[in-house]
Amino acid sequence: MKFKFSLSLFFIFIYIGFNTVFANDFFKQQSLSIYILSEKSNDSITILKNKIGAFAKNKDYDNAILYSKKLYKKAQIVADSSSINNAIWRQGFYFKKINQLDSAYYYFNKSFTINLKLNDSIAVGDRLLDMANIQKSLGDYNGGMITAIEGIKYIENSTKIKSIIGLYQTISVCHKELGDYKEALRWNDKSINLSKKDSSNLGLEINHTINITRANILAETNKFESSFRILNTIIKNTNKGNQFQNSRALCNIGYYKWLENKNNPESESLLIKSFEKRKKLNTVSGLISSTIHLAEYYFKIDKHEALKYAQMAYQYSYTQNNPVAVLESLDLVLPLKKSLNQDVSEEAILYSKVQNKLEKTKQTVRSIYAATKYDNDTLEKNNLKLLATVATKKKQNSIAFSVTLFLLILIGFIIYYKNHQKNKEQLEAAYKTELRLSKKLHDELGNDIFYLMTQVQKGDQDINTSKNALVLDSLNSIYQRIRDFSKEFTAIHTGDEFGKQFQTLLNSYGSNKTKLITKELASDFWNDITPKTKIEIYRILQELLVNMKKHSNASLVAITCSKNEKQVSIKYVDNGIGFNVKDNYFGNGLKNVENRIKSIKGSINFDSKPNKGFTAIILFTI
């Protein structure tokens, strides 16, 4: 019995200890939550969401929170991960609505952790924005700034412009509150620049908020004229529209005019005008701001009036459950009461309690995020190790692939080079053979025939003169053919003298029967053409001219050469007997021409018809 009693007492202490972390009235909500969640209900997830929406619409946030818990339990039963996450986020959202910021932060952080595991970077960035705004509201500007910067890493390159601007805005305000106005303006510039890119979809509310923040920063740096220009523009643009932003701009311009000049007659009327608008709008956060500024305005000139507004600020702050605003209003109430010789003991005790509660809330928030940050950092380190291992394997595979590819390319190049060298050697051998045969025919057989012709001419004069002449003509014909053959295979100089040698070749085939027209080329025409190509072109033209002399009976031949940066074109035309190209009438000579042009990766096109002459167009790249 004693054991059961001790155990029960232990759990009661744990329960009480847990609830002291949150706001005082959280115990009541948790108890009611247990009652509602213990009810058996057949409500579907959709019905529960509709009920929560109805509660939220009526600003019944307590019931919205309780039914969000019920949604969470239902989503767990049916294993609906999306609804589980939604239920957690809803609790954070509605706790923030009733200014239970530690509880709101707890659920936002829980949703952040779930989305992080799901790799939903957009949702992660949104939750970090929610968390950063809570830290800012609690006056933890350093913490809020760090959380917002963390959020940017997840969504800065996304299309969530509103969320990105929200993070920039939070960082800018935190820098302003910490007195770093240069950085505050830099982040505000980022917000403005981004809003210009998507101004049509952002809405005026966000643009006004960004501009008011800029006006506040400028005023803090005593650039009042620039601040007033921005605020007056907002007042003008919202005069018949957004009264929330209009009253906000009026309050700020009235306050800054007073900071600039304590005797400015406009300040009081602007502050009161803003306060009256905010009473009609019933915006508690706006009323807190107006009453605090009015208390500060009257602080030195009318302490009774200042105390009235300071106490109003306290009441609004207490109603909103805003500890930071409560302390700010008490900072005015205490010295005003003291100067008016009024008792301040109650306010002093309250100040101490609120300050302690605020500090405890800050500590709770910090500890929540610190634990999550530690877990996330540990997970990230493990992921980085895994990624490093994968990257190492990828790198090894990449190196192996690169080495294999390099070896294949090298082998391919060696094979190509060997084949190229072999072809080159074969070509050189063919040229040497041609030259050797040419020299042999010219030096040996040609000389022998020439010697025989000499002997015949010296021979017996009684031999039949006609027979002697016939023999001499035959011998002369054979001698000329040998000289022509020898000429065909003479060595070709591919250096600076090639142009002259090429021109000499063309001109050598002209005669009384055949007129050859050609144009002398520029001295540098052949400079950027390889020796091999020069030799092949020389032989191709030689082959065409030999065929012309043997078969065409042409009386006119024209050869033109032209060149651009990439290609050389040579056109050969004669008016000979021609042939029918469709009949594939290609002798050995034209086949040799085709083979030669292929060896230099060029092309040759023939065009001919019987009795219509012959045309050849040669093209090759430089």
Side-chain angles (χ1 to χ4, degrees):
M1 184 73 180
K2 287 182 179 179
F3 175 76
K4 288 183 179 178
F5 176 77
S6 300
L7 189 63
S8 301
L9 192 63
F10 175 74
F11 280 114
I12 289 169
F13 275 116
I14 289 176
Y15 185 77
I16 292 171
F18 173 77
N19 280 281
T20 56
V21 174
F22 303 105
N24 293 333
D25 56 347
F26 192 56
F27 176 82
K28 175 178 151 185
Q29 290 166 352
Q30 290 288 340
S31 301
L32 187 56
S33 173
I34 292 168
Y35 168 72
I36 289 179
L37 294 176
S38 65
E39 288 185 315
K40 291 183 179 179
S41 171
N42 292 321
D43 286 350
S44 67
I45 285 176
T46 303
I47 291 172
L48 286 170
K49 286 181 179 178
N50 290 336
K51 286 184 176 181
I52 295 167
F55 287 131
K57 190 175 181 180
N58 293 324
K59 297 186 178 180
D60 184 357
Y61 299 120
D62 289 338
N63 273 322
I65 291 168
L66 296 175
Y67 273 84
S68 294
K69 291 180 183 296
K70 198 168 185 178
L71 173 64
Y72 175 72
K73 186 175 180 181
K74 185 74 174 181
Q76 280 187 313
I77 293 169
V78 299
D80 184 345
S81 58
S82 176
S83 294
I84 289 171
N85 193 18
N86 181 259
I88 292 169
W89 171 80
R90 284 174 183 271
Q91 291 177 73
F93 182 78
Y94 298 128
F95 270 120
K96 187 180 179 184
K97 286 290 185 181
I98 59 175
N99 270 297
Q100 290 193 18
L101 300 182
D102 45 5
S103 298
Y105 194 92
Y106 169 80
Y107 286 107
F108 283 143
N109 181 72
K110 196 171 180 180
S111 176
F112 156 73
T113 305
I114 292 170
N115 287 306
L116 195 62
K117 289 177 180 176
L118 294 172
N119 289 321
D120 187 347
S121 59
I122 301 297
V124 167
D126 283 338
R127 294 298 76 76
L128 287 169
L129 174 59
D130 292 329
M131 294 158 69
N133 280 331
I134 288 174
Q135 289 172 287
K136 182 185 70 176
S137 299
L138 292 169
D140 183 7
Y141 301 116
N142 277 315
M145 187 165 53
I146 292 167
T147 305
I149 290 171
E150 182 79 7
I152 288 170
K153 291 194 299 186
Y154 290 97
I155 63 171
E156 191 164 31
N157 295 321
S158 72
T159 56
K160 288 279 289 184
I161 303 299
K162 287 184 180 180
S163 297
I164 298 168
I165 287 176
L167 290 164
Y168 288 167
Q169 174 74 2
T170 300
I171 295 168
S172 178
V173 172
C174 287
H175 274 299
K176 179 181 80 71
E177 294 299 329
L178 291 169
D180 190 350
Y181 302 117
K182 185 178 179 180
E183 276 298 292
L185 278 173
R186 186 172 77 86
W187 286 96
N188 182 256
D189 285 338
K190 289 168 78 73
S191 298
I192 290 171
N193 291 335
L194 191 57
S195 68
K196 287 177 181 177
K197 292 180 182 178
D198 199 24
S199 58
S200 58
N201 296 321
L202 286 176
L204 292 173
E205 188 75 24
I206 293 174
N207 285 315
H208 289 326
T209 300
I210 295 169
N211 287 321
I212 286 176
T213 299
R214 186 171 192 81
N216 294 344
I217 297 167
L218 291 169
E220 293 283 352
T221 57
N222 296 322
K223 295 177 181 177
F224 292 108
E225 288 304 317
S226 298
S227 177
F228 295 155
R229 277 197 297 272
I230 294 170
L231 293 171
N232 280 322
T233 301
I234 294 170
I235 290 167
K236 182 180 178 181
N237 291 338
T238 58
N239 194 36
K240 295 181 180 179
N242 191 332
Q243 291 302 300
F244 172 80
Q245 294 290 7
N246 183 272
S247 61
R248 186 181 176 191
L250 280 171
C251 180
N252 286 6
I253 199 169
Y255 180 66
Y256 293 138
K257 280 183 178 290
W258 173 70
L259 284 181
E260 184 188 33
N261 177 12
K262 294 295 192 294
N263 297 317
N264 191 318
E266 289 184 85
S267 299
E268 182 179 17
S269 60
L270 287 168
L271 288 170
I272 291 173
K273 186 177 181 181
S274 172
F275 176 60
E276 294 300 325
K277 283 195 173 191
R278 282 171 162 173
K279 280 201 292 185
K280 289 179 182 178
L281 294 169
N282 195 28
T283 54
V284 179
S285 59
L287 286 167
I288 293 170
S289 177
S290 284
T291 49
I292 285 175
H293 287 329
L294 282 165
E296 288 174 330
Y297 176 81
Y298 289 115
F299 193 89
K300 288 186 177 179
I301 58 175
D302 190 339
K303 295 195 182 297
H304 288 283
E305 194 72 7
L307 181 59
K308 179 184 80 172
Y309 284 111
Q311 288 175 327
M312 288 172 68
Y314 166 74
Q315 290 298 327
Y316 289 130
S317 303
Y318 181 80
T319 302
Q320 198 186 38
N321 193 22
N322 185 337
V324 174
V326 166
L327 292 177
E328 193 173 357
S329 59
L330 288 175
D331 276 332
L332 292 166
V333 170
L334 285 167
L336 284 167
K337 272 196 164 188
K338 193 174 181 181
S339 66
L340 293 170
N341 296 318
Q342 296 181 16
D343 181 40
V344 295
S345 56
E346 185 179 341
E347 284 80 4
I349 294 168
L350 180 63
Y351 189 95
S352 179
K353 284 182 178 180
V354 173
Q355 191 174 44
N356 289 336
K357 180 184 174 183
L358 178 61
E359 191 56 39
K360 186 179 286 187
T361 303
K362 285 182 183 179
Q363 292 297 331
T364 301
V365 165
R366 287 180 191 138
S367 63
I368 289 169
Y369 188 55
T372 305
K373 190 79 169 66
Y374 174 78
D375 292 339
N376 292 340
D377 288 346
T378 304
L379 179 63
E380 189 173 354
K381 285 177 183 177
N382 293 334
N383 288 338
L384 287 172
K385 286 180 182 178
L386 181 62
L387 288 171
T389 304
V390 173
T392 302
K393 287 183 179 179
K394 282 185 177 179
K395 189 175 181 181
Q396 290 171 348
N397 292 337
S398 178
I399 291 170
F401 176 77
S402 298
V403 170
T404 304
L405 183 63
F406 174 75
L407 289 173
L408 289 172
I409 292 170
L410 182 62
I411 292 167
F413 175 76
I414 291 170
I415 293 169
Y416 169 79
Y417 179 76
K418 289 290 184 184
N419 289 336
H420 179 72
Q421 285 295 106
K422 187 177 178 181
N423 291 336
K424 186 177 179 183
E425 288 170 2
Q426 288 175 347
L427 189 62
E428 287 177 355
Y431 289 152
K432 286 178 182 178
T433 302
E434 289 174 353
L435 290 171
R436 183 172 55 80
L437 289 173
S438 173
K439 191 173 189 306
K440 192 171 184 69
L441 285 169
H442 183 272
D443 293 347
E444 296 180 16
L445 186 58
N447 288 340
D448 288 346
I449 292 172
F450 185 77
Y451 174 76
L452 182 58
M453 290 171 61
T454 305
Q455 295 303 314
V456 169
Q457 287 174 338
K458 287 181 179 180
D460 192 350
Q461 297 295 323
D462 296 332
I463 297 174
N464 190 301
T465 305
S466 61
K467 287 183 179 180
N468 194 14
L470 182 61
V471 171
L472 285 172
D473 286 343
S474 297
L475 288 172
N476 184 59
S477 175
I478 294 168
Y479 180 68
Q480 291 301 325
R481 285 164 63 192
I482 289 169
R483 286 192 62 188
D484 287 344
F485 183 82
S486 176
K487 185 170 66 174
E488 286 182 35
F489 296 102
T490 53
I492 301 169
H493 301 288
T494 58
D496 294 337
E497 297 297 317
F498 178 78
K500 291 180 181 179
Q501 190 175 6
F502 182 78
Q503 199 69 31
T504 302
L505 168 72
L506 302 185
N507 293 333
S508 68
Y509 283 89
S511 66
N512 293 331
K513 292 182 180 180
T514 306
K515 186 176 181 181
L516 193 140
I517 301 171
T518 183
K519 184 179 179 182
E520 190 171 342
L521 301 174
S523 59
D524 62 347
F525 185 88
W526 301 98
N527 284 0
D528 46 4
I529 297 169
T530 64
K532 182 181 183 300
T533 302
K534 289 178 182 178
I535 292 170
E536 295 300 341
I537 293 300
Y538 186 96
R539 294 300 186 200
I540 288 168
L541 265 297
Q542 191 177 55
E543 191 74 55
L544 292 175
L545 289 167
V546 168
N547 277 359
M548 175 272 296
K549 193 169 184 181
K550 287 181 180 179
H551 308 297
S552 73
N553 296 324
S555 61
L556 182 65
V557 177
I559 298 172
T560 57
C561 302
S562 61
K563 183 175 76 166
N564 57 32
E565 292 180 357
K566 297 180 179 180
Q567 187 174 251
V568 173
S569 173
I570 300 174
K571 186 175 183 180
Y572 169 94
V573 179
D574 70 39
N575 64 348
I577 60 174
F579 59 90
N580 193 342
V581 176
K582 293 180 181 179
D583 292 339
N584 293 323
Y585 180 74
F586 289 98
N588 289 332
L590 293 184
K591 285 182 181 178
N592 289 339
V593 166
E594 284 194 323
N595 291 334
R596 287 184 183 277
I597 198 68
K598 284 179 182 177
S599 73
I600 60 171
K601 297 180 181 178
S603 66
I604 185 165
N605 293 315
F606 301 117
D607 185 20
S608 181
K609 291 179 183 179
N611 301 315
K612 294 293 185 180
F614 171 76
T615 300
I617 299 175
I618 301 164
L619 298 172
F620 62 92
T621 56
I622 297 172

